Amino acid sequence: MSEALTPETPEAVLDETADEAGEEEPIKQRKNGLYPGVSDELADSMKSGWADTELRGLTPIAQAEYTAARRAALSARFPGERLVIPAGNLKTRSNDTEYPFRASVEYAYLTGNLTEDGVLVLEPATEGHKATIYLLPRSDRENGEFWLSGQGELWVGRRHSLTEAEQLYGIPASDVRELPAALAEATGPVRVVRGYDAAVEAALTDKVTAERDNELRVFLSEARLVKDAFEAGELQKAVDSTVRGFEDVVKVLDKAEATSERYIEGTFFLRARVEGNDIGYGSICAAGPHACTLHWVRNDGPVRSGDLLLLDAGVETHTLYTADVTRTLPINGTYTEIQKKIYDAVYEAQEAGIAAVQPGAKYRDFHDAAQRVLTEKLVEWGLVEGPVERVLELGLQRRWTLHGTGHMLGMDVHDCAAARTETYVEGTLEPGMCLTVEPGLYFQADDLTVPEEYRGIGVRIEDDILVTEDGNRNLSDRLPRRSDEVEAWMASLKG
């Protein structure tokens, strides 16, 4: 990796705000850089001789009409108030390297822009609000930022100009470096989405309250409960790519056996990066008893013939919508008798859960339906003393079912998390909502309350379900679920 300036000199090489005398500060160099400085001749050379690369006549992004409608709904909810929604900043991974940037969900949902340091501001107007998107403009060529700054264009790539951004996002654009001063002088009620941009929050520190800001976050979380047509399409794209990622994994299970769970992780990641933005969350590639660890993301264990592989993974689209799918597969292609017994029980529970996903149904219904089936199986197998109603009332089945049966899905894998309980867990399903249905049974390797043959077996089956006007649609139904169909599918992929 080549040398750039240190993180302590993030943007400009010559700071044009400089000192009180109006003089530019000298160029700041990396402590152990190989070049002691920049000659005047080189600086002059780098300022000229570059072609005009401004992009003209750009087409608005596909979701522009939808983001406009979302901003209108936000405006209607908070009339007369200034609303500030930051994208967030780069985060340091180590020394002068950063983690890949992912814009805040609130900002991306309202703008479609995904670049760091952006801020959406809705200022009260005579009618509604005036929206402005504050962004970093293209790298400055006069002061050398574009080739000397660690975040300059020649180091990390070209940014859109403000004019280009206006065409793409359908929002007037301004220089974000001017925003903190403008916010500091703002009057009237203000709300900000917290936790993403310290400089923005510092500029508003005497103008906002935690209670009011939380109301803004809650509204934006609840706004995402019902997906619009664009979002439903993006979720389907994410699922379709995820299905192909699962097929990729099945085709290379022999290579995973020769290496480790990491081969599975890397195989799925390749599909996510080729067809999408990234994985939507850390892939769970849990072979053997690791399947009993709900969020096993170390993925450093052995892959053995005769064991099960619990693969929980999702591709994230370029617009940040993620799939979340799980299959529990026999590594050698065939379930053993006890594996099939447990798997079929989970499948039956998932069938009951999916059937309960209907418009007008209580959100909890799918969870209750799946838990009842699993509890009936546990009582039938003699692992817990009935009757079933007693077990459910006391929650005794949770020793082996562990988690809730699903969650909302969207731009976050656990989407809408800040929504009020009465509108989410205690709410009612509506067309356009998208949720996972993912029951599981997990018999820990050291669980002495179950027969030895059960120990170390973990099974989860998860699909992404869109609520429709007349029922539901399984977005991930291209992946087989029934045990015999899974075996046939794996055999076909292995040739």
Side-chain angles (χ1 to χ4, degrees), residues 130-142:
K130 175 190 175 185
T132 304
I133 187 170
Y134 288 85
L135 302 166
L136 282 171
R138 289 193 62 188
S139 297
D140 194 327
R141 299 208 174 213
E142 280 299 308

Side-chain angles (χ1 to χ4, degrees), residues 336-348:
T336 66
E337 183 177 348
I338 186 63
Q339 289 169 352
K340 186 176 186 299
K341 173 183 174 180
I342 296 169
Y343 184 95
D344 288 348
V346 174
Y347 171 76
E348 187 177 330

Side-chain angles (χ1 to χ4, degrees), residues 51-68:
D52 177 11
T53 58
E54 180 75 6
L55 304 176
R56 296 173 176 84
L58 294 175
T59 302
I61 59 172
Q63 67 267 44
E65 64 178 286
Y66 295 96
T67 56

Side-chain angles (χ1 to χ4, degrees), residues 257-330:
E257 287 188 58
T259 51
S260 75
E261 295 163 341
R262 291 281 169 90
Y263 204 97
I264 295 167
E265 177 184 341
T267 298
F268 187 84
F269 180 70
L270 177 61
R271 178 65 65 173
R273 286 294 282 165
V274 167
E275 295 194 2
N277 177 60
D278 206 332
I279 50 175
Y281 53 95
S283 298
I284 299 167
C285 308
H290 288 163
C292 298
T293 302
L294 297 183
H295 287 170
W296 177 260
V297 293
R298 299 179 198 172
N299 299 336
D300 58 1
V303 178
R304 299 188 178 99
S305 178
D307 283 347
L308 295 177
L309 166 68
L310 189 156
L311 178 59
D312 183 338
V315 172
E316 176 186 82
T317 67
H318 293 292
T319 56
L320 306 189
Y321 289 86
T322 185
D324 182 7
V325 177
T326 306
R327 291 293 184 268
T328 306
L329 311 172

Side-chain angles (χ1 to χ4, degrees), residues 345-357 365-374 376 405 437 439 472 481:
V346 174
Y347 171 76
E348 187 177 330
Q350 194 200 26
E351 283 281 271
I354 292 174
V357 177
D365 288 353
F366 78 96
H367 168 73
D368 294 341
Q371 288 293 301
R372 175 170 291 277
V373 171
L374 293 178
E376 290 170 349
T405 309
V437 178
N472 68 66
R481 291 186 295 124

Side-chain angles (χ1 to χ4, degrees), residues 13-34:
V13 176
L14 296 176
D15 185 352
E16 295 175 343
T17 60
D19 58 24
E20 295 180 359
E23 296 178 357
E24 295 177 337
E25 291 184 350
I27 295 170
K28 297 176 182 178
Q29 295 291 307
R30 177 191 290 275
K31 180 178 180 181
N32 289 303
L34 293 173

Side-chain angles (χ1 to χ4, degrees), residues 146-349:
F146 81 107
W147 72 286
L148 287 170
S149 168
Q151 294 302 318
E153 184 172 307
L154 298 193
W155 289 95
V156 298
R158 182 187 188 278
R159 294 190 288 265
H160 282 298
S161 71
L162 298 182
T163 301
E164 292 168 355
E166 290 183 353
Q167 296 175 59
L168 288 169
Y169 307 111
I171 312 171
S174 293
D175 190 335
V176 73
R177 292 171 295 192
E178 301 168 359
L179 181 60
L183 291 178
E185 297 175 1
T187 58
V190 183
R191 298 178 191 255
V192 64
V193 177
R194 299 191 181 200
Y196 297 117
D197 194 315
V200 167
E201 291 181 36
L204 295 171
T205 185
D206 60 341
K207 307 176 192 301
V208 295
T209 67
E211 181 180 2
R212 287 162 52 79
D213 292 348
N214 187 59
E215 288 175 352
L216 173 59
R217 182 185 288 274
V218 168
F219 173 81
L220 289 172
S221 195
E222 293 183 359
R224 301 197 308 275
L225 284 169
V226 176
K227 272 58 181 179
D228 57 38
F230 177 84
E231 294 179 289
E234 289 300 293
L235 285 167
Q236 186 66 70
K237 287 181 188 176
V239 169
D240 290 345
S241 289
T242 298
V243 168
R244 288 187 284 272
F246 274 67
E247 292 171 346
D248 295 339
V249 167
V250 171
K251 292 174 182 177
V252 300
L253 281 177
D254 57 334
K255 293 182 174 63
E257 287 188 58
T259 51
S260 75
E261 295 163 341
R262 291 281 169 90
Y263 204 97
I264 295 167
E265 177 184 341
T267 298
F268 187 84
F269 180 70
L270 177 61
R271 178 65 65 173
R273 286 294 282 165
V274 167
E275 295 194 2
N277 177 60
D278 206 332
I279 50 175
Y281 53 95
S283 298
I284 299 167
C285 308
H290 288 163
C292 298
T293 302
L294 297 183
H295 287 170
W296 177 260
V297 293
R298 299 179 198 172
N299 299 336
D300 58 1
V303 178
R304 299 188 178 99
S305 178
D307 283 347
L308 295 177
L309 166 68
L310 189 156
L311 178 59
D312 183 338
V315 172
E316 176 186 82
T317 67
H318 293 292
T319 56
L320 306 189
Y321 289 86
T322 185
D324 182 7
V325 177
T326 306
R327 291 293 184 268
T328 306
L329 311 172
I331 292 169
N332 64 8
T334 305
Y335 295 102
T336 66
E337 183 177 348
I338 186 63
Q339 289 169 352
K340 186 176 186 299
K341 173 183 174 180
I342 296 169
Y343 184 95
D344 288 348
V346 174
Y347 171 76
E348 187 177 330

